[in-house]
PDB file of all heavy atoms in Angstrom:
ATOM      1  N   GLU O  14       0.796  -1.217   0.000  1.00 96.00           N
ATOM      2  CA  GLU O  14       0.000   0.000   0.000  1.00 96.00           C
ATOM      3  C   GLU O  14       0.834   1.275   0.000  1.00 96.00           C
ATOM      4  O   GLU O  14       0.293   2.360  -0.185  1.00 96.00           O
ATOM      5  CB  GLU O  14      -0.944   0.011   1.217  1.00 96.00           C
ATOM      6  CG  GLU O  14      -1.972  -1.112   1.212  1.00 96.00           C
ATOM      7  CD  GLU O  14      -2.927  -1.042   2.402  1.00 96.00           C
ATOM      8  OE1 GLU O  14      -2.913  -0.017   3.116  1.00 96.00           O
ATOM      9  OE2 GLU O  14      -3.667  -2.021   2.606  1.00 96.00           O
ATOM     10  N   ALA O  15       2.141   1.153   0.194  1.00 96.00           N
ATOM     11  CA  ALA O  15       2.984   2.345   0.296  1.00 96.00           C
ATOM     12  C   ALA O  15       3.911   2.524  -0.903  1.00 96.00           C
ATOM     13  O   ALA O  15       4.290   3.647  -1.240  1.00 96.00           O
ATOM     14  CB  ALA O  15       3.809   2.296   1.583  1.00 96.00           C
ATOM     15  N   ILE O  16       4.301   1.440  -1.541  1.00 97.00           N
ATOM     16  CA  ILE O  16       5.209   1.500  -2.686  1.00 97.00           C
ATOM     17  C   ILE O  16       4.376   1.504  -3.960  1.00 97.00           C
ATOM     18  O   ILE O  16       3.483   0.677  -4.137  1.00 97.00           O
ATOM     19  CB  ILE O  16       6.182   0.312  -2.681  1.00 97.00           C
ATOM     20  CG1 ILE O  16       6.970   0.274  -1.363  1.00 97.00           C
ATOM     21  CG2 ILE O  16       7.141   0.375  -3.867  1.00 97.00           C
ATOM     22  CD1 ILE O  16       7.810  -0.984  -1.179  1.00 97.00           C
ATOM     23  N   THR O  17       4.655   2.430  -4.859  1.00 97.00           N
ATOM     24  CA  THR O  17       3.854   2.571  -6.076  1.00 97.00           C
ATOM     25  C   THR O  17       4.329   1.616  -7.168  1.00 97.00           C
ATOM     26  O   THR O  17       5.456   1.104  -7.126  1.00 97.00           O
ATOM     27  CB  THR O  17       3.928   4.009  -6.609  1.00 97.00           C
ATOM     28  OG1 THR O  17       5.270   4.267  -7.078  1.00 97.00           O
ATOM     29  CG2 THR O  17       3.562   5.018  -5.515  1.00 97.00           C
ATOM     30  N   GLU O  18       3.473   1.418  -8.164  1.00 97.00           N
ATOM     31  CA  GLU O  18       3.846   0.580  -9.304  1.00 97.00           C
ATOM     32  C   GLU O  18       5.026   1.196 -10.060  1.00 97.00           C
ATOM     33  O   GLU O  18       5.865   0.471 -10.603  1.00 97.00           O
ATOM     34  CB  GLU O  18       2.652   0.399 -10.235  1.00 97.00           C
ATOM     35  CG  GLU O  18       1.628  -0.618  -9.738  1.00 97.00           C
ATOM     36  CD  GLU O  18       2.227  -2.009  -9.596  1.00 97.00           C
ATOM     37  OE1 GLU O  18       2.790  -2.537 -10.575  1.00 97.00           O
ATOM     38  OE2 GLU O  18       2.147  -2.571  -8.484  1.00 97.00           O
ATOM     39  N   THR O  19       5.082   2.517 -10.073  1.00 97.00           N
ATOM     40  CA  THR O  19       6.227   3.180 -10.711  1.00 97.00           C
ATOM     41  C   THR O  19       7.526   2.835  -9.994  1.00 97.00           C
ATOM     42  O   THR O  19       8.553   2.555 -10.630  1.00 97.00           O
ATOM     43  CB  THR O  19       6.024   4.707 -10.713  1.00 97.00           C
ATOM     44  OG1 THR O  19       4.838   5.031 -11.433  1.00 97.00           O
ATOM     45  CG2 THR O  19       7.209   5.410 -11.351  1.00 97.00           C
ATOM     46  N   ASP O  20       7.472   2.818  -8.660  1.00 97.00           N
ATOM     47  CA  ASP O  20       8.663   2.451  -7.883  1.00 97.00           C
ATOM     48  C   ASP O  20       9.072   1.012  -8.162  1.00 97.00           C
ATOM     49  O   ASP O  20      10.269   0.709  -8.325  1.00 97.00           O
ATOM     50  CB  ASP O  20       8.395   2.629  -6.389  1.00 97.00           C
ATOM     51  CG  ASP O  20       8.208   4.087  -5.997  1.00 97.00           C
ATOM     52  OD1 ASP O  20       8.762   4.952  -6.691  1.00 97.00           O
ATOM     53  OD2 ASP O  20       7.496   4.343  -5.011  1.00 97.00           O
ATOM     54  N   PHE O  21       8.078   0.107  -8.197  1.00 98.00           N
ATOM     55  CA  PHE O  21       8.375  -1.298  -8.500  1.00 98.00           C
ATOM     56  C   PHE O  21       9.055  -1.414  -9.865  1.00 98.00           C
ATOM     57  O   PHE O  21      10.056  -2.112 -10.024  1.00 98.00           O
ATOM     58  CB  PHE O  21       7.094  -2.137  -8.494  1.00 98.00           C
ATOM     59  CG  PHE O  21       6.551  -2.446  -7.132  1.00 98.00           C
ATOM     60  CD1 PHE O  21       5.231  -2.158  -6.821  1.00 98.00           C
ATOM     61  CD2 PHE O  21       7.337  -3.035  -6.164  1.00 98.00           C
ATOM     62  CE1 PHE O  21       4.704  -2.452  -5.571  1.00 98.00           C
ATOM     63  CE2 PHE O  21       6.832  -3.333  -4.910  1.00 98.00           C
ATOM     64  CZ  PHE O  21       5.517  -3.038  -4.615  1.00 98.00           C
ATOM     65  N   ALA O  22       8.485  -0.738 -10.869  1.00 97.00           N
ATOM     66  CA  ALA O  22       9.007  -0.831 -12.228  1.00 97.00           C
ATOM     67  C   ALA O  22      10.420  -0.274 -12.318  1.00 97.00           C
ATOM     68  O   ALA O  22      11.286  -0.828 -13.014  1.00 97.00           O
ATOM     69  CB  ALA O  22       8.077  -0.100 -13.196  1.00 97.00           C
ATOM     70  N   GLN O  23      10.679   0.826 -11.607  1.00 97.00           N
ATOM     71  CA  GLN O  23      12.022   1.411 -11.638  1.00 97.00           C
ATOM     72  C   GLN O  23      13.052   0.479 -11.026  1.00 97.00           C
ATOM     73  O   GLN O  23      14.168   0.327 -11.552  1.00 97.00           O
ATOM     74  CB  GLN O  23      12.012   2.756 -10.911  1.00 97.00           C
ATOM     75  CG  GLN O  23      11.295   3.863 -11.677  1.00 97.00           C
ATOM     76  CD  GLN O  23      11.222   5.166 -10.902  1.00 97.00           C
ATOM     77  OE1 GLN O  23      11.430   5.194  -9.678  1.00 97.00           O
ATOM     78  NE2 GLN O  23      10.913   6.259 -11.581  1.00 97.00           N
ATOM     79  N   LEU O  24      12.691  -0.160  -9.915  1.00 97.00           N
ATOM     80  CA  LEU O  24      13.623  -1.104  -9.287  1.00 97.00           C
ATOM     81  C   LEU O  24      13.822  -2.336 -10.152  1.00 97.00           C
ATOM     82  O   LEU O  24      14.938  -2.848 -10.277  1.00 97.00           O
ATOM     83  CB  LEU O  24      13.103  -1.501  -7.904  1.00 97.00           C
ATOM     84  CG  LEU O  24      13.306  -0.463  -6.800  1.00 97.00           C
ATOM     85  CD1 LEU O  24      12.480  -0.808  -5.571  1.00 97.00           C
ATOM     86  CD2 LEU O  24      14.787  -0.355  -6.434  1.00 97.00           C
ATOM     87  N   LYS O  25      12.750  -2.818 -10.753  1.00 96.00           N
ATOM     88  CA  LYS O  25      12.840  -4.000 -11.604  1.00 96.00           C
ATOM     89  C   LYS O  25      13.754  -3.748 -12.803  1.00 96.00           C
ATOM     90  O   LYS O  25      14.508  -4.621 -13.223  1.00 96.00           O
ATOM     91  CB  LYS O  25      11.438  -4.369 -12.088  1.00 96.00           C
ATOM     92  CG  LYS O  25      11.384  -5.434 -13.180  1.00 96.00           C
ATOM     93  CD  LYS O  25      11.363  -6.817 -12.631  1.00 96.00           C
ATOM     94  CE  LYS O  25      11.071  -7.833 -13.725  1.00 96.00           C
ATOM     95  NZ  LYS O  25      10.878  -9.182 -13.220  1.00 96.00           N
ATOM     96  N   ASN O  26      13.678  -2.539 -13.362  1.00 96.00           N
ATOM     97  CA  ASN O  26      14.369  -2.254 -14.618  1.00 96.00           C
ATOM     98  C   ASN O  26      15.638  -1.420 -14.448  1.00 96.00           C
ATOM     99  O   ASN O  26      16.216  -0.981 -15.435  1.00 96.00           O
ATOM    100  CB  ASN O  26      13.404  -1.543 -15.573  1.00 96.00           C
ATOM    101  CG  ASN O  26      12.342  -2.484 -16.101  1.00 96.00           C
ATOM    102  OD1 ASN O  26      12.606  -3.317 -16.956  1.00 96.00           O
ATOM    103  ND2 ASN O  26      11.133  -2.358 -15.567  1.00 96.00           N
ATOM    104  N   LYS O  27      16.062  -1.216 -13.211  1.00 94.00           N
ATOM    105  CA  LYS O  27      17.334  -0.535 -12.998  1.00 94.00           C
ATOM    106  C   LYS O  27      18.460  -1.442 -13.489  1.00 94.00           C
ATOM    107  O   LYS O  27      18.611  -2.573 -13.014  1.00 94.00           O
ATOM    108  CB  LYS O  27      17.526  -0.232 -11.510  1.00 94.00           C
ATOM    109  CG  LYS O  27      18.847   0.444 -11.188  1.00 94.00           C
ATOM    110  CD  LYS O  27      18.989   0.659  -9.680  1.00 94.00           C
ATOM    111  CE  LYS O  27      20.335   1.261  -9.336  1.00 94.00           C
ATOM    112  NZ  LYS O  27      20.497   1.417  -7.865  1.00 94.00           N
ATOM    113  N   PRO O  28      19.254  -1.001 -14.459  1.00 90.00           N
ATOM    114  CA  PRO O  28      20.288  -1.889 -15.016  1.00 90.00           C
ATOM    115  C   PRO O  28      21.410  -2.138 -14.017  1.00 90.00           C
ATOM    116  O   PRO O  28      21.961  -1.185 -13.444  1.00 90.00           O
ATOM    117  CB  PRO O  28      20.796  -1.111 -16.231  1.00 90.00           C
ATOM    118  CG  PRO O  28      20.473   0.320 -15.945  1.00 90.00           C
ATOM    119  CD  PRO O  28      19.219   0.314 -15.130  1.00 90.00           C
ATOM    120  N   PRO O  29      21.756  -3.387 -13.772  1.00 90.00           N
ATOM    121  CA  PRO O  29      22.892  -3.678 -12.887  1.00 90.00           C
ATOM    122  C   PRO O  29      24.194  -3.153 -13.501  1.00 90.00           C
ATOM    123  O   PRO O  29      24.320  -3.009 -14.716  1.00 90.00           O
ATOM    124  CB  PRO O  29      22.903  -5.212 -12.800  1.00 90.00           C
ATOM    125  CG  PRO O  29      21.553  -5.645 -13.273  1.00 90.00           C
ATOM    126  CD  PRO O  29      21.109  -4.614 -14.259  1.00 90.00           C
ATOM    127  N   THR O  30      25.147  -2.850 -12.651  1.00 93.00           N
ATOM    128  CA  THR O  30      26.457  -2.427 -13.138  1.00 93.00           C
ATOM    129  C   THR O  30      27.184  -3.626 -13.742  1.00 93.00           C
ATOM    130  O   THR O  30      26.842  -4.782 -13.456  1.00 93.00           O
ATOM    131  CB  THR O  30      27.303  -1.859 -11.993  1.00 93.00           C
ATOM    132  OG1 THR O  30      27.597  -2.918 -11.061  1.00 93.00           O
ATOM    133  CG2 THR O  30      26.564  -0.735 -11.270  1.00 93.00           C
ATOM    134  N   PRO O  31      28.188  -3.386 -14.577  1.00 93.00           N
ATOM    135  CA  PRO O  31      28.965  -4.516 -15.125  1.00 93.00           C
ATOM    136  C   PRO O  31      29.547  -5.403 -14.022  1.00 93.00           C
ATOM    137  O   PRO O  31      29.594  -6.640 -14.168  1.00 93.00           O
ATOM    138  CB  PRO O  31      30.065  -3.814 -15.939  1.00 93.00           C
ATOM    139  CG  PRO O  31      29.457  -2.506 -16.341  1.00 93.00           C
ATOM    140  CD  PRO O  31      28.607  -2.096 -15.178  1.00 93.00           C
ATOM    141  N   GLU O  32      29.968  -4.788 -12.923  1.00 95.00           N
ATOM    142  CA  GLU O  32      30.531  -5.577 -11.813  1.00 95.00           C
ATOM    143  C   GLU O  32      29.459  -6.470 -11.191  1.00 95.00           C
ATOM    144  O   GLU O  32      29.736  -7.637 -10.838  1.00 95.00           O
ATOM    145  CB  GLU O  32      31.124  -4.653 -10.750  1.00 95.00           C
ATOM    146  CG  GLU O  32      32.351  -3.867 -11.186  1.00 95.00           C
ATOM    147  CD  GLU O  32      32.019  -2.662 -12.076  1.00 95.00           C
ATOM    148  OE1 GLU O  32      30.805  -2.311 -12.161  1.00 95.00           O
ATOM    149  OE2 GLU O  32      32.940  -2.095 -12.659  1.00 95.00           O
ATOM    150  N   GLN O  33      28.261  -5.950 -11.035  1.00 95.00           N
ATOM    151  CA  GLN O  33      27.167  -6.748 -10.467  1.00 95.00           C
ATOM    152  C   GLN O  33      26.796  -7.890 -11.398  1.00 95.00           C
ATOM    153  O   GLN O  33      26.547  -9.018 -10.953  1.00 95.00           O
ATOM    154  CB  GLN O  33      25.963  -5.850 -10.199  1.00 95.00           C
ATOM    155  CG  GLN O  33      26.170  -4.870  -9.049  1.00 95.00           C
ATOM    156  CD  GLN O  33      25.068  -3.840  -8.952  1.00 95.00           C
ATOM    157  OE1 GLN O  33      24.420  -3.488  -9.940  1.00 95.00           O
ATOM    158  NE2 GLN O  33      24.835  -3.325  -7.748  1.00 95.00           N
ATOM    159  N   ILE O  34      26.754  -7.625 -12.683  1.00 95.00           N
ATOM    160  CA  ILE O  34      26.444  -8.676 -13.654  1.00 95.00           C
ATOM    161  C   ILE O  34      27.501  -9.773 -13.622  1.00 95.00           C
ATOM    162  O   ILE O  34      27.185 -10.973 -13.598  1.00 95.00           O
ATOM    163  CB  ILE O  34      26.314  -8.077 -15.067  1.00 95.00           C
ATOM    164  CG1 ILE O  34      25.047  -7.222 -15.157  1.00 95.00           C
ATOM    165  CG2 ILE O  34      26.270  -9.189 -16.122  1.00 95.00           C
ATOM    166  CD1 ILE O  34      24.870  -6.521 -16.488  1.00 95.00           C
ATOM    167  N   ASP O  35      28.764  -9.366 -13.575  1.00 95.00           N
ATOM    168  CA  ASP O  35      29.836 -10.362 -13.523  1.00 95.00           C
ATOM    169  C   ASP O  35      29.722 -11.208 -12.262  1.00 95.00           C
ATOM    170  O   ASP O  35      29.906 -12.437 -12.303  1.00 95.00           O
ATOM    171  CB  ASP O  35      31.203  -9.671 -13.562  1.00 95.00           C
ATOM    172  CG  ASP O  35      31.539  -9.118 -14.935  1.00 95.00           C
ATOM    173  OD1 ASP O  35      30.872  -9.514 -15.913  1.00 95.00           O
ATOM    174  OD2 ASP O  35      32.456  -8.269 -15.019  1.00 95.00           O
ATOM    175  N   SER O  36      29.421 -10.577 -11.144  1.00 95.00           N
ATOM    176  CA  SER O  36      29.323 -11.301  -9.877  1.00 95.00           C
ATOM    177  C   SER O  36      28.230 -12.360  -9.929  1.00 95.00           C
ATOM    178  O   SER O  36      28.419 -13.490  -9.464  1.00 95.00           O
ATOM    179  CB  SER O  36      29.046 -10.315  -8.741  1.00 95.00           C
ATOM    180  OG  SER O  36      28.921 -10.992  -7.510  1.00 95.00           O
ATOM    181  N   ILE O  37      27.095 -12.019 -10.523  1.00 96.00           N
ATOM    182  CA  ILE O  37      25.958 -12.950 -10.571  1.00 96.00           C
ATOM    183  C   ILE O  37      26.135 -14.018 -11.633  1.00 96.00           C
ATOM    184  O   ILE O  37      25.724 -15.171 -11.449  1.00 96.00           O
ATOM    185  CB  ILE O  37      24.647 -12.166 -10.805  1.00 96.00           C
ATOM    186  CG1 ILE O  37      24.315 -11.306  -9.579  1.00 96.00           C
ATOM    187  CG2 ILE O  37      23.485 -13.111 -11.119  1.00 96.00           C
ATOM    188  CD1 ILE O  37      23.112 -10.399  -9.762  1.00 96.00           C
ATOM    189  N   PHE O  38      26.792 -13.680 -12.756  1.00 95.00           N
ATOM    190  CA  PHE O  38      26.783 -14.598 -13.906  1.00 95.00           C
ATOM    191  C   PHE O  38      28.117 -15.288 -14.199  1.00 95.00           C
ATOM    192  O   PHE O  38      28.149 -16.234 -14.980  1.00 95.00           O
ATOM    193  CB  PHE O  38      26.340 -13.840 -15.167  1.00 95.00           C
ATOM    194  CG  PHE O  38      24.884 -13.479 -15.163  1.00 95.00           C
ATOM    195  CD1 PHE O  38      24.478 -12.221 -14.761  1.00 95.00           C
ATOM    196  CD2 PHE O  38      23.921 -14.398 -15.552  1.00 95.00           C
ATOM    197  CE1 PHE O  38      23.136 -11.878 -14.746  1.00 95.00           C
ATOM    198  CE2 PHE O  38      22.576 -14.074 -15.538  1.00 95.00           C
ATOM    199  CZ  PHE O  38      22.172 -12.809 -15.135  1.00 95.00           C
ATOM    200  N   ASN O  39      29.213 -14.863 -13.597  1.00 94.00           N
ATOM    201  CA  ASN O  39      30.503 -15.452 -13.964  1.00 94.00           C
ATOM    202  C   ASN O  39      30.607 -16.935 -13.639  1.00 94.00           C
ATOM    203  O   ASN O  39      31.409 -17.637 -14.255  1.00 94.00           O
ATOM    204  CB  ASN O  39      31.651 -14.688 -13.298  1.00 94.00           C
ATOM    205  CG  ASN O  39      32.072 -13.475 -14.118  1.00 94.00           C
ATOM    206  OD1 ASN O  39      31.550 -13.234 -15.204  1.00 94.00           O
ATOM    207  ND2 ASN O  39      33.015 -12.702 -13.588  1.00 94.00           N
ATOM    208  N   HIS O  40      29.850 -17.431 -12.661  1.00 93.00           N
ATOM    209  CA  HIS O  40      29.912 -18.855 -12.331  1.00 93.00           C
ATOM    210  C   HIS O  40      28.808 -19.648 -13.046  1.00 93.00           C
ATOM    211  O   HIS O  40      28.587 -20.816 -12.723  1.00 93.00           O
ATOM    212  CB  HIS O  40      29.801 -19.051 -10.810  1.00 93.00           C
ATOM    213  CG  HIS O  40      28.539 -18.494 -10.207  1.00 93.00           C
ATOM    214  ND1 HIS O  40      28.341 -17.142 -10.034  1.00 93.00           N
ATOM    215  CD2 HIS O  40      27.420 -19.100  -9.739  1.00 93.00           C
ATOM    216  CE1 HIS O  40      27.163 -16.936  -9.477  1.00 93.00           C
ATOM    217  NE2 HIS O  40      26.585 -18.106  -9.293  1.00 93.00           N
ATOM    218  N   ARG O  41      28.151 -19.002 -14.004  1.00 94.00           N
ATOM    219  CA  ARG O  41      27.102 -19.651 -14.784  1.00 94.00           C
ATOM    220  C   ARG O  41      27.564 -19.842 -16.230  1.00 94.00           C
ATOM    221  O   ARG O  41      28.514 -19.177 -16.680  1.00 94.00           O
ATOM    222  CB  ARG O  41      25.827 -18.798 -14.772  1.00 94.00           C
ATOM    223  CG  ARG O  41      25.135 -18.741 -13.439  1.00 94.00           C
ATOM    224  CD  ARG O  41      23.839 -17.907 -13.540  1.00 94.00           C
ATOM    225  NE  ARG O  41      22.920 -18.263 -12.471  1.00 94.00           N
ATOM    226  CZ  ARG O  41      22.979 -17.762 -11.253  1.00 94.00           C
ATOM    227  NH1 ARG O  41      23.908 -16.879 -10.951  1.00 94.00           N
ATOM    228  NH2 ARG O  41      22.131 -18.162 -10.324  1.00 94.00           N
ATOM    229  N   PRO O  42      26.879 -20.699 -16.978  1.00 92.00           N
ATOM    230  CA  PRO O  42      27.196 -20.807 -18.398  1.00 92.00           C
ATOM    231  C   PRO O  42      27.033 -19.463 -19.104  1.00 92.00           C
ATOM    232  O   PRO O  42      26.136 -18.678 -18.773  1.00 92.00           O
ATOM    233  CB  PRO O  42      26.168 -21.830 -18.917  1.00 92.00           C
ATOM    234  CG  PRO O  42      25.782 -22.633 -17.705  1.00 92.00           C
ATOM    235  CD  PRO O  42      25.852 -21.672 -16.553  1.00 92.00           C
TER     236      PRO O  42
END
């Protein structure tokens, strides 16, 4: 009831930094 759909969408679509992407995906195919 306090967080708006706009806030949800912004957090969902905030692009991770290259370092964050590497951290999450480097141990994956």
Side-chain angles (χ1 to χ4, degrees):
E14 297 182 10
I16 303 171
T17 68
E18 282 299 305
T19 300
D20 293 333
F21 284 127
Q23 288 176 344
L24 283 167
K25 170 87 170 187
N26 288 285
K27 178 182 177 182
T30 66
E32 293 77 12
Q33 290 170 333
I34 290 177
D35 287 345
S36 179
I37 292 175
F38 289 97
N39 275 357
H40 59 286
R41 291 182 158 84

